[in-house]
Amino acid sequence: MARNKLAMIGGGQIGQILALQAAQKELGDVVIYDIPQVEGPMKGKALDITQMAAAEEFDSRLSGTSSFEDIAGSDVVIVTAGLPRKPGMSRDDLLKTNVDIISKVANGVKQHAPNAFCIIITNPLDAMVYAFHKVSGFPKTQVCGMAGVLDTARWRAFIGMELDVSVEDIAGTVLGGHGPTMVPLPRLTTVGGVPLTEILSADRIEAIAKRTREAGTELVNLYGNGSAFFSPAGSAIQMAESYLKDKKRVLPCAALCEGEYGIDGLFIGVPCRIGAGGVEKIYEIALTDDEKALLSATVEAVKKTTSEVKL
Ligand code: TXD
């Protein structure tokens, strides 16, 4: 059986880490696609990782290109094409520029890799995955956004730091939009099966939830010239791996809700089963009234940003 093929649409800060991790995990061959002005560096990154592969002994054929036809036949497409935030910018500030880029990319993927499972990363995430889905016309099982895996990783990382416990034993999820209105769920978070609410005070839990909601901005301010890249890449790779290996992991992804959670026609972060069928299932949670109020606030925020996508 031929190797899988993954196309990274955008080979910048996140794209290069995606390429490295996909190759290191031997998920398949990797094409790094970017604009002509940076085709040289993309070829360089592919060649550099190829040499690393010999040192670390993993097998993957990597290439860099600015020709869309080189993504032909990709099984997975991961899209980071677009501008990242600079200090003082909100994710929504990127909308106009990035929606134009995403539209171009969606048409290219539709033409050259129409069967690929598409993971969108570009911000403002929920609106960009909506735009990609609309332009590509792909079924909703074939298109999702990466944000919830990252936001949940941040939630779990901060809890692990607070409690000095292994992140392996922290389970939980974050619902909603990829922005300040996202909804960590303390009630459903456990540490080795022990409810978080029985371990930490409400004040400490809220402090961690606040840091989770602001974690992206915290890194934008620390970096000064871009946004997070290790953690988004590592998060998207979990989704790609679950698809390619049919692992059927249940991960928080921006998926198209058509009635779930009372939401219709929006991409937003919900628990999804990711397997060979793509977004195979969305799981609904019986939420408390307080949680429902937080969810409706994030739905409103996503609705507003998505409504600005004029396509
Ligand atoms: O959780 C999440 N979803 C977010 C997403 C987490 C962090 C960052 N998030 C967003 O990902 C960020 O706000 C940006 O919108 C994207 C990509 O962030 P990255 O840090 O990788 O940005 P870079 O380093 O600027 O890389 C973007 C690449 C760059 O190489 C451009 O030349 C390329 O995108 N680009 C294109 N590639 C292909 N096709 C077109 N048209 C194109 N335009 C730009």
PDB file of all heavy atoms in Angstrom, residues 36-63:
ATOM      1  N   PRO A  36       5.136  31.645  -4.291  1.00  0.00           N
ATOM      2  CA  PRO A  36       6.393  31.599  -5.061  1.00  0.00           C
ATOM      3  C   PRO A  36       7.560  32.354  -4.416  1.00  0.00           C
ATOM      4  O   PRO A  36       8.705  31.905  -4.483  1.00  0.00           O
ATOM      5  CB  PRO A  36       6.002  32.253  -6.396  1.00  0.00           C
ATOM      6  CG  PRO A  36       4.534  32.014  -6.514  1.00  0.00           C
ATOM      7  CD  PRO A  36       3.992  32.059  -5.125  1.00  0.00           C
ATOM      8  N   GLN A  37       7.260  33.459  -3.722  1.00  0.00           N
ATOM      9  CA  GLN A  37       8.349  34.269  -3.134  1.00  0.00           C
ATOM     10  C   GLN A  37       9.168  33.475  -2.112  1.00  0.00           C
ATOM     11  O   GLN A  37      10.296  33.849  -1.803  1.00  0.00           O
ATOM     12  CB  GLN A  37       7.773  35.527  -2.438  1.00  0.00           C
ATOM     13  CG  GLN A  37       7.068  36.502  -3.349  1.00  0.00           C
ATOM     14  CD  GLN A  37       5.582  36.203  -3.496  1.00  0.00           C
ATOM     15  OE1 GLN A  37       5.192  35.038  -3.710  1.00  0.00           O
ATOM     16  NE2 GLN A  37       4.743  37.210  -3.411  1.00  0.00           N
ATOM     17  N   VAL A  38       8.578  32.436  -1.575  1.00  0.00           N
ATOM     18  CA  VAL A  38       9.313  31.674  -0.551  1.00  0.00           C
ATOM     19  C   VAL A  38       9.468  30.210  -0.948  1.00  0.00           C
ATOM     20  O   VAL A  38       9.679  29.329  -0.101  1.00  0.00           O
ATOM     21  CB  VAL A  38       8.637  31.778   0.844  1.00  0.00           C
ATOM     22  CG1 VAL A  38       8.747  33.183   1.393  1.00  0.00           C
ATOM     23  CG2 VAL A  38       7.188  31.316   0.796  1.00  0.00           C
ATOM     24  N   GLU A  39       9.412  29.938  -2.271  1.00  0.00           N
ATOM     25  CA  GLU A  39       9.550  28.530  -2.698  1.00  0.00           C
ATOM     26  C   GLU A  39      10.917  27.970  -2.304  1.00  0.00           C
ATOM     27  O   GLU A  39      11.020  26.825  -1.847  1.00  0.00           O
ATOM     28  CB  GLU A  39       9.339  28.383  -4.203  1.00  0.00           C
ATOM     29  CG  GLU A  39       9.380  26.902  -4.610  1.00  0.00           C
ATOM     30  CD  GLU A  39       9.071  26.677  -6.081  1.00  0.00           C
ATOM     31  OE1 GLU A  39       9.826  27.199  -6.926  1.00  0.00           O
ATOM     32  OE2 GLU A  39       8.068  25.994  -6.368  1.00  0.00           O
ATOM     33  N   GLY A  40      11.940  28.785  -2.403  1.00  0.00           N
ATOM     34  CA  GLY A  40      13.291  28.337  -2.026  1.00  0.00           C
ATOM     35  C   GLY A  40      13.345  27.874  -0.577  1.00  0.00           C
ATOM     36  O   GLY A  40      13.737  26.723  -0.299  1.00  0.00           O
ATOM     37  N   PRO A  41      12.935  28.713   0.350  1.00  0.00           N
ATOM     38  CA  PRO A  41      12.928  28.269   1.752  1.00  0.00           C
ATOM     39  C   PRO A  41      12.070  27.022   1.992  1.00  0.00           C
ATOM     40  O   PRO A  41      12.419  26.176   2.816  1.00  0.00           O
ATOM     41  CB  PRO A  41      12.363  29.476   2.493  1.00  0.00           C
ATOM     42  CG  PRO A  41      12.740  30.655   1.650  1.00  0.00           C
ATOM     43  CD  PRO A  41      12.671  30.149   0.238  1.00  0.00           C
ATOM     44  N   MET A  42      10.984  26.859   1.236  1.00  0.00           N
ATOM     45  CA  MET A  42      10.157  25.650   1.408  1.00  0.00           C
ATOM     46  C   MET A  42      10.936  24.418   0.951  1.00  0.00           C
ATOM     47  O   MET A  42      10.917  23.368   1.595  1.00  0.00           O
ATOM     48  CB  MET A  42       8.838  25.772   0.631  1.00  0.00           C
ATOM     49  CG  MET A  42       7.955  26.903   1.123  1.00  0.00           C
ATOM     50  SD  MET A  42       7.660  26.849   2.912  1.00  0.00           S
ATOM     51  CE  MET A  42       7.947  28.571   3.345  1.00  0.00           C
ATOM     52  N   LYS A  43      11.631  24.561  -0.179  1.00  0.00           N
ATOM     53  CA  LYS A  43      12.472  23.446  -0.647  1.00  0.00           C
ATOM     54  C   LYS A  43      13.583  23.183   0.369  1.00  0.00           C
ATOM     55  O   LYS A  43      13.922  22.028   0.657  1.00  0.00           O
ATOM     56  CB  LYS A  43      13.046  23.759  -2.026  1.00  0.00           C
ATOM     57  CG  LYS A  43      12.025  23.786  -3.157  1.00  0.00           C
ATOM     58  CD  LYS A  43      12.693  23.950  -4.518  1.00  0.00           C
ATOM     59  CE  LYS A  43      11.682  24.014  -5.660  1.00  0.00           C
ATOM     60  NZ  LYS A  43      10.799  22.825  -5.715  1.00  0.00           N
ATOM     61  N   GLY A  44      14.076  24.244   0.948  1.00  0.00           N
ATOM     62  CA  GLY A  44      15.130  24.088   1.959  1.00  0.00           C
ATOM     63  C   GLY A  44      14.630  23.346   3.185  1.00  0.00           C
ATOM     64  O   GLY A  44      15.292  22.430   3.700  1.00  0.00           O
ATOM     65  N   LYS A  45      13.420  23.710   3.648  1.00  0.00           N
ATOM     66  CA  LYS A  45      12.864  23.052   4.845  1.00  0.00           C
ATOM     67  C   LYS A  45      12.643  21.563   4.582  1.00  0.00           C
ATOM     68  O   LYS A  45      12.940  20.696   5.415  1.00  0.00           O
ATOM     69  CB  LYS A  45      11.544  23.726   5.251  1.00  0.00           C
ATOM     70  CG  LYS A  45      11.743  25.130   5.790  1.00  0.00           C
ATOM     71  CD  LYS A  45      10.437  25.851   6.096  1.00  0.00           C
ATOM     72  CE  LYS A  45      10.722  27.271   6.579  1.00  0.00           C
ATOM     73  NZ  LYS A  45       9.520  28.016   6.981  1.00  0.00           N
ATOM     74  N   ALA A  46      12.141  21.248   3.365  1.00  0.00           N
ATOM     75  CA  ALA A  46      11.905  19.839   3.003  1.00  0.00           C
ATOM     76  C   ALA A  46      13.226  19.071   2.985  1.00  0.00           C
ATOM     77  O   ALA A  46      13.339  17.962   3.534  1.00  0.00           O
ATOM     78  CB  ALA A  46      11.218  19.763   1.647  1.00  0.00           C
ATOM     79  N   LEU A  47      14.238  19.703   2.414  1.00  0.00           N
ATOM     80  CA  LEU A  47      15.548  19.036   2.306  1.00  0.00           C
ATOM     81  C   LEU A  47      16.199  18.882   3.680  1.00  0.00           C
ATOM     82  O   LEU A  47      16.757  17.836   4.023  1.00  0.00           O
ATOM     83  CB  LEU A  47      16.447  19.868   1.380  1.00  0.00           C
ATOM     84  CG  LEU A  47      17.784  19.259   0.947  1.00  0.00           C
ATOM     85  CD1 LEU A  47      17.590  17.902   0.295  1.00  0.00           C
ATOM     86  CD2 LEU A  47      18.502  20.241   0.004  1.00  0.00           C
ATOM     87  N   ASP A  48      16.051  19.899   4.480  1.00  0.00           N
ATOM     88  CA  ASP A  48      16.639  19.901   5.835  1.00  0.00           C
ATOM     89  C   ASP A  48      16.029  18.782   6.688  1.00  0.00           C
ATOM     90  O   ASP A  48      16.737  18.026   7.347  1.00  0.00           O
ATOM     91  CB  ASP A  48      16.348  21.283   6.461  1.00  0.00           C
ATOM     92  CG  ASP A  48      17.304  21.644   7.586  1.00  0.00           C
ATOM     93  OD1 ASP A  48      18.027  20.748   8.047  1.00  0.00           O
ATOM     94  OD2 ASP A  48      17.296  22.807   8.007  1.00  0.00           O
ATOM     95  N   ILE A  49      14.701  18.643   6.615  1.00  0.00           N
ATOM     96  CA  ILE A  49      14.034  17.592   7.398  1.00  0.00           C
ATOM     97  C   ILE A  49      14.413  16.215   6.838  1.00  0.00           C
ATOM     98  O   ILE A  49      14.604  15.257   7.579  1.00  0.00           O
ATOM     99  CB  ILE A  49      12.496  17.784   7.400  1.00  0.00           C
ATOM    100  CG1 ILE A  49      12.117  19.115   8.064  1.00  0.00           C
ATOM    101  CG2 ILE A  49      11.807  16.628   8.146  1.00  0.00           C
ATOM    102  CD1 ILE A  49      10.634  19.480   7.932  1.00  0.00           C
ATOM    103  N   THR A  50      14.592  16.138   5.522  1.00  0.00           N
ATOM    104  CA  THR A  50      15.024  14.875   4.898  1.00  0.00           C
ATOM    105  C   THR A  50      16.376  14.441   5.467  1.00  0.00           C
ATOM    106  O   THR A  50      16.609  13.264   5.749  1.00  0.00           O
ATOM    107  CB  THR A  50      15.127  15.059   3.364  1.00  0.00           C
ATOM    108  OG1 THR A  50      13.831  15.410   2.868  1.00  0.00           O
ATOM    109  CG2 THR A  50      15.618  13.798   2.675  1.00  0.00           C
ATOM    110  N   GLN A  51      17.255  15.420   5.676  1.00  0.00           N
ATOM    111  CA  GLN A  51      18.565  15.097   6.242  1.00  0.00           C
ATOM    112  C   GLN A  51      18.443  14.724   7.715  1.00  0.00           C
ATOM    113  O   GLN A  51      19.108  13.809   8.206  1.00  0.00           O
ATOM    114  CB  GLN A  51      19.511  16.283   6.021  1.00  0.00           C
ATOM    115  CG  GLN A  51      19.816  16.481   4.538  1.00  0.00           C
ATOM    116  CD  GLN A  51      20.406  17.843   4.221  1.00  0.00           C
ATOM    117  OE1 GLN A  51      20.850  18.567   5.101  1.00  0.00           O
ATOM    118  NE2 GLN A  51      20.387  18.195   2.921  1.00  0.00           N
ATOM    119  N   MET A  52      17.518  15.388   8.401  1.00  0.00           N
ATOM    120  CA  MET A  52      17.259  15.036   9.811  1.00  0.00           C
ATOM    121  C   MET A  52      16.728  13.606   9.886  1.00  0.00           C
ATOM    122  O   MET A  52      17.061  12.846  10.800  1.00  0.00           O
ATOM    123  CB  MET A  52      16.241  16.012  10.396  1.00  0.00           C
ATOM    124  CG  MET A  52      15.858  15.753  11.834  1.00  0.00           C
ATOM    125  SD  MET A  52      14.542  16.906  12.304  1.00  0.00           S
ATOM    126  CE  MET A  52      14.416  16.559  14.039  1.00  0.00           C
ATOM    127  N   ALA A  53      15.916  13.238   8.893  1.00  0.00           N
ATOM    128  CA  ALA A  53      15.324  11.894   8.861  1.00  0.00           C
ATOM    129  C   ALA A  53      16.407  10.834   8.821  1.00  0.00           C
ATOM    130  O   ALA A  53      16.291   9.780   9.450  1.00  0.00           O
ATOM    131  CB  ALA A  53      14.403  11.769   7.657  1.00  0.00           C
ATOM    132  N   ALA A  54      17.482  11.140   8.086  1.00  0.00           N
ATOM    133  CA  ALA A  54      18.580  10.160   8.014  1.00  0.00           C
ATOM    134  C   ALA A  54      19.260  10.052   9.382  1.00  0.00           C
ATOM    135  O   ALA A  54      19.643   8.960   9.816  1.00  0.00           O
ATOM    136  CB  ALA A  54      19.584  10.589   6.948  1.00  0.00           C
ATOM    137  N   ALA A  55      19.372  11.155  10.056  1.00  0.00           N
ATOM    138  CA  ALA A  55      20.023  11.125  11.384  1.00  0.00           C
ATOM    139  C   ALA A  55      19.135  10.412  12.399  1.00  0.00           C
ATOM    140  O   ALA A  55      19.598   9.595  13.193  1.00  0.00           O
ATOM    141  CB  ALA A  55      20.305  12.555  11.836  1.00  0.00           C
ATOM    142  N   GLU A  56      17.849  10.714  12.348  1.00  0.00           N
ATOM    143  CA  GLU A  56      16.930  10.154  13.351  1.00  0.00           C
ATOM    144  C   GLU A  56      16.265   8.864  12.870  1.00  0.00           C
ATOM    145  O   GLU A  56      15.496   8.244  13.599  1.00  0.00           O
ATOM    146  CB  GLU A  56      15.845  11.187  13.675  1.00  0.00           C
ATOM    147  CG  GLU A  56      16.348  12.364  14.480  1.00  0.00           C
ATOM    148  CD  GLU A  56      15.184  13.129  15.129  1.00  0.00           C
ATOM    149  OE1 GLU A  56      14.025  12.785  14.859  1.00  0.00           O
ATOM    150  OE2 GLU A  56      15.456  14.054  15.904  1.00  0.00           O
ATOM    151  N   GLU A  57      16.505   8.509  11.627  1.00  0.00           N
ATOM    152  CA  GLU A  57      15.990   7.255  11.037  1.00  0.00           C
ATOM    153  C   GLU A  57      14.467   7.164  11.038  1.00  0.00           C
ATOM    154  O   GLU A  57      13.862   6.297  11.677  1.00  0.00           O
ATOM    155  CB  GLU A  57      16.641   6.039  11.719  1.00  0.00           C
ATOM    156  CG  GLU A  57      18.149   6.088  11.476  1.00  0.00           C
ATOM    157  CD  GLU A  57      18.908   4.863  11.957  1.00  0.00           C
ATOM    158  OE1 GLU A  57      18.298   4.020  12.644  1.00  0.00           O
ATOM    159  OE2 GLU A  57      20.099   4.775  11.625  1.00  0.00           O
ATOM    160  N   PHE A  58      13.849   8.123  10.349  1.00  0.00           N
ATOM    161  CA  PHE A  58      12.429   7.990  10.024  1.00  0.00           C
ATOM    162  C   PHE A  58      12.309   8.180   8.507  1.00  0.00           C
ATOM    163  O   PHE A  58      13.145   8.843   7.892  1.00  0.00           O
ATOM    164  CB  PHE A  58      11.537   8.974  10.786  1.00  0.00           C
ATOM    165  CG  PHE A  58      11.915  10.428  10.696  1.00  0.00           C
ATOM    166  CD1 PHE A  58      11.490  11.200   9.610  1.00  0.00           C
ATOM    167  CD2 PHE A  58      12.671  11.037  11.692  1.00  0.00           C
ATOM    168  CE1 PHE A  58      11.813  12.545   9.528  1.00  0.00           C
ATOM    169  CE2 PHE A  58      12.997  12.398  11.621  1.00  0.00           C
ATOM    170  CZ  PHE A  58      12.575  13.150  10.529  1.00  0.00           C
ATOM    171  N   ASP A  59      11.290   7.567   7.910  1.00  0.00           N
ATOM    172  CA  ASP A  59      11.163   7.601   6.447  1.00  0.00           C
ATOM    173  C   ASP A  59       9.967   8.436   6.016  1.00  0.00           C
ATOM    174  O   ASP A  59       8.834   8.178   6.422  1.00  0.00           O
ATOM    175  CB  ASP A  59      11.014   6.159   5.901  1.00  0.00           C
ATOM    176  CG  ASP A  59      12.333   5.394   6.016  1.00  0.00           C
ATOM    177  OD1 ASP A  59      13.332   5.899   5.455  1.00  0.00           O
ATOM    178  OD2 ASP A  59      12.355   4.341   6.684  1.00  0.00           O
ATOM    179  N   SER A  60      10.242   9.448   5.211  1.00  0.00           N
ATOM    180  CA  SER A  60       9.197  10.275   4.617  1.00  0.00           C
ATOM    181  C   SER A  60       9.836  11.015   3.447  1.00  0.00           C
ATOM    182  O   SER A  60      10.955  11.469   3.552  1.00  0.00           O
ATOM    183  CB  SER A  60       8.673  11.304   5.635  1.00  0.00           C
ATOM    184  OG  SER A  60       7.774  12.199   5.007  1.00  0.00           O
ATOM    185  N   ARG A  61       9.120  11.071   2.333  1.00  0.00           N
ATOM    186  CA  ARG A  61       9.598  11.866   1.206  1.00  0.00           C
ATOM    187  C   ARG A  61       9.018  13.268   1.346  1.00  0.00           C
ATOM    188  O   ARG A  61       7.792  13.427   1.342  1.00  0.00           O
ATOM    189  CB  ARG A  61       9.112  11.235  -0.104  1.00  0.00           C
ATOM    190  CG  ARG A  61       9.757   9.896  -0.418  1.00  0.00           C
ATOM    191  CD  ARG A  61      11.125  10.069  -1.099  1.00  0.00           C
ATOM    192  NE  ARG A  61      11.804   8.772  -1.206  1.00  0.00           N
ATOM    193  CZ  ARG A  61      12.623   8.305  -0.253  1.00  0.00           C
ATOM    194  NH1 ARG A  61      12.835   9.008   0.863  1.00  0.00           N
ATOM    195  NH2 ARG A  61      13.214   7.128  -0.378  1.00  0.00           N
ATOM    196  N   LEU A  62       9.879  14.253   1.501  1.00  0.00           N
ATOM    197  CA  LEU A  62       9.410  15.625   1.674  1.00  0.00           C
ATOM    198  C   LEU A  62       9.771  16.468   0.464  1.00  0.00           C
ATOM    199  O   LEU A  62      10.825  16.279  -0.140  1.00  0.00           O
ATOM    200  CB  LEU A  62      10.035  16.250   2.926  1.00  0.00           C
ATOM    201  CG  LEU A  62       9.607  15.654   4.261  1.00  0.00           C
ATOM    202  CD1 LEU A  62      10.730  14.817   4.862  1.00  0.00           C
ATOM    203  CD2 LEU A  62       9.164  16.734   5.233  1.00  0.00           C
ATOM    204  N   SER A  63       8.895  17.403   0.123  1.00  0.00           N
ATOM    205  CA  SER A  63       9.200  18.332  -0.979  1.00  0.00           C
ATOM    206  C   SER A  63       8.594  19.689  -0.663  1.00  0.00           C
ATOM    207  O   SER A  63       7.627  19.785   0.098  1.00  0.00           O
ATOM    208  CB  SER A  63       8.622  17.785  -2.296  1.00  0.00           C
ATOM    209  OG  SER A  63       7.215  17.614  -2.158  1.00  0.00           O
TER     210      SER A  63
END
